[in-house]
Amino acid sequence: MTITHGGINRRKRFDWYFDAHSKKVRIVNEDGREHSYSVQEIHHILNRLWQEFGDRYFPLANNVEYLSKGSEKMGLGMVILQQENSNVSHAQGASYLGVVLEECGYFGWNGKHRQIEWRFMDTDFSLAMIESRLTRSRSRG
């Protein structure tokens, strides 16, 4: 199992795998809550984060209250929320997707359990490369 980066009372265990048929990352946390992100959506998220932050660290930015009010700072969760057909629940999955993208070699974590941030370790955001990395990484299931 993989674990999110939250503090000891907030972190969640989860399994994830890449479904090659649907071309989606499927995430299921320890409570049975599911999230999924398509390769195309991940491509858009990575590009938007790169445009916004470049090689600087960017925040998790997935506070449910701030996302609901539209006042969350720019970061992974907010970028997910701004995707077409997204919602706050989908954006809350940022804590899982961020760790998945770490395991794929795209993100480097700042090592903090509060004020979680990442920076880019690789910028090849082609659909083929994203799919390849998701397939090769420690798939779960």
Side-chain angles (χ1 to χ4, degrees):
M1 277 204 145
T2 302
I3 302 173
T4 62
H5 294 314
I8 195 134
N9 294 322
R10 300 199 61 169
R11 63 183 68 156
K12 293 278 187 184
R13 295 179 186 280
F14 68 99
D15 286 322
W16 72 272
Y17 67 97
F18 179 66
D19 180 340
H21 179 70
S22 66
K23 295 188 183 270
K24 290 184 176 185
V25 170
R26 307 260 183 204
I27 298 166
V28 181
N29 78 8
E30 64 189 27
D31 301 324
R33 184 171 190 135
E34 297 182 29
H35 295 277
S36 69
Y37 301 88
S38 71
V39 170
Q40 187 71 41
E41 182 179 13
I42 292 169
H43 170 78
H44 288 297
I45 291 166
L46 294 172
N47 276 301
R48 178 71 197 284
L49 286 168
W50 179 252
Q51 289 171 2
E52 192 74 32
F53 295 96
D55 59 4
R56 299 184 326 267
Y57 276 97
F58 54 89
L60 171 59
N62 78 333
N63 179 294
V64 68
E65 181 181 343
Y66 297 149
L67 287 169
S68 296
K69 292 179 182 177
S71 60
E72 180 59 281
K73 62 188 163 222
M74 184 53 66
L76 181 56
M78 193 63 175
V79 167
I80 293 170
L81 182 62
Q82 293 174 345
Q83 298 301 300
E84 189 174 332
N85 298 319
S86 189
N87 57 42
V88 171
S89 177
H90 190 58
Q92 281 264 273
S95 56
Y96 305 101
L97 183 61
V99 175
V100 169
L101 293 173
E102 269 180 65
E103 290 188 358
C104 292
Y106 277 114
F107 291 174
W109 175 42
N110 69 353
K112 297 179 181 179
H113 297 291
R114 300 191 90 217
Q115 298 179 336
I116 296 166
E117 294 182 317
W118 291 277
R119 66 183 177 93
F120 282 100
M121 305 305 286
D122 193 326
T123 56
D124 183 345
F125 306 148
S126 68
L127 295 172
M129 182 56 75
I130 294 168
E131 188 171 341
S132 172
R133 285 175 178 250
L134 289 168
T135 302
R136 286 192 325 244
S137 293
R138 295 185 346 193
S139 297
R140 314 288 181 186

